[in-house]
Amino acid sequence: MTNLICITCPIGCALQAELVDGKLSVTGHSCPRGEDFARAELTNPMRTLCSNVRTNNPACPLLPVRTQGEIPKAAMMDVMRLLAGVTVTQPLQCGDVITSLEPICDGNVIATCDFPF
């Protein structure tokens, strides 16, 4: 039995979930989204990663970034190691792609604010 707090709506239901032989048993949810959340958390948890990357501009040494979508929770540390080696050297607009996440997982890392030099 796994205890979870559902984060799909403001209610924050306390869920009890168990996956046995491919069958999911969930209690404590107020809506169908709670069951979907529990299934995803037990089978393939996903997260949006927010972080910073270095820049070569001394006036603004860090640029806030995030993944363009959700990535597997298990890949978070690998993505952080990738971002540790990234340095922005050109002007960017909010939403511009900073780097691809291949071959770690699908997706991109994007700027979350404008970065003029």
Side-chain angles (χ1 to χ4, degrees):
M1 187 72 65
T2 302
N3 293 317
L4 303 165
I5 301 295
C6 183
I7 59 172
T8 59
C9 77
I11 295 173
C13 296
L15 309 177
Q16 296 79 41
E18 189 171 30
L19 188 63
V20 178
D21 298 328
K23 291 192 176 203
L24 179 68
S25 170
V26 179
T27 59
H29 58 290
S30 299
C31 69
R33 293 182 292 179
E35 190 168 344
D36 294 340
F37 172 78
R39 180 180 315 285
E41 281 298 295
L42 294 179
T43 59
N44 186 26
M46 303 288 280
R47 299 289 187 271
T48 298
L49 175 66
C50 299
S51 187
N52 294 297
V53 294
R54 291 183 189 98
T55 75
N56 65 352
N57 183 342
C60 183
L62 296 174
L63 175 70
V65 298
R66 70 171 173 85
T67 53
Q68 201 165 16
E70 292 184 331
I71 61 171
K73 185 177 176 183
M76 300 274 285
M77 291 309 296
D78 292 331
V79 172
M80 289 299 294
R81 280 188 280 279
L82 172 74
L83 294 179
V86 172
T87 301
V88 173
T89 60
Q90 60 193 18
L92 295 167
Q93 297 289 319
C94 184
D96 284 353
V97 173
I98 303 293
T99 187
S100 170
L101 296 177
E102 298 293 334
I104 299 169
C105 59
D106 291 335
N108 297 310
V109 173
I110 60 172
T112 59
C113 69
D114 292 345
F115 183 68
F117 263 87

